Amino acid sequence: MCLIFQRIEFIKTGENPCFVRELETGYVVIGDHQYFKGYTLFLAKEHVTVVYHMEISVKFRFLEEMSLVREAVAKAFVAEKMNIELLGNSDAHAYWHLFPRKKGI
């Protein structure tokens, strides 16, 4: 079982203290390490390794919801810029890293 799927299971059982909100295609969680204050993850509900493995309607909704999460994090943490990444190198599950950035950080 991948680490992200384990985190999702903890959300479902109420054991993930970083859980923020459930959306249609994923879960919003605050990152464990806050090198950049407000670092957030958006975890796909569906266990896929890459976004293009999702059904097209789910994929488009997942991307749309990521954009909404990105906007919410930017507003909440007064970000001047938002950096986002979807890597999948260490955990074989589709999820976004969202980093609110400010000048000089």
Side-chain angles (χ1 to χ4, degrees), residues 51-62:
V51 173
Y52 62 81
H53 288 167
M54 295 175 170
E55 292 292 324
I56 195 158
S57 62
V58 174
K59 173 174 51 179
F60 287 150
R61 184 67 180 144
F62 182 59

Side-chain angles (χ1 to χ4, degrees), residues 58-103:
V58 174
K59 173 174 51 179
F60 287 150
R61 184 67 180 144
F62 182 59
L63 294 171
E64 179 182 36
E65 287 183 339
M66 178 279 299
S67 182
L68 294 171
V69 172
R70 180 183 184 182
E71 183 178 352
V73 171
K75 287 179 180 177
F77 293 94
V78 194
E80 295 174 22
K81 173 74 175 153
M82 286 294 297
N83 293 145
I84 61 168
E85 298 179 311
L86 181 109
L87 302 170
N89 298 339
S90 59
D91 292 311
H93 191 103
Y95 66 99
W96 294 95
H97 298 269
L98 298 103
F99 303 92
R101 303 296 303 270
K102 294 186 180 188
K103 202 174 281 186

Side-chain angles (χ1 to χ4, degrees), residues 5-50:
F5 195 73
Q6 286 176 330
R7 288 175 176 254
I8 290 171
E9 288 302 308
F10 288 142
I11 289 169
K12 291 178 181 178
T13 60
E15 299 174 65
N16 187 327
C18 297
F19 171 67
V20 175
R21 183 168 177 103
E22 179 178 359
L23 300 177
E24 184 180 334
T25 64
Y27 299 96
V28 180
V29 297
I30 295 296
D32 293 345
H33 305 287
Q34 292 289 302
Y35 180 74
F36 298 105
K37 186 177 179 183
Y39 166 56
T40 303
L41 298 118
F42 183 49
L43 318 173
K45 282 184 178 179
E46 186 178 345
H47 182 66
V48 295
T49 56
V50 290

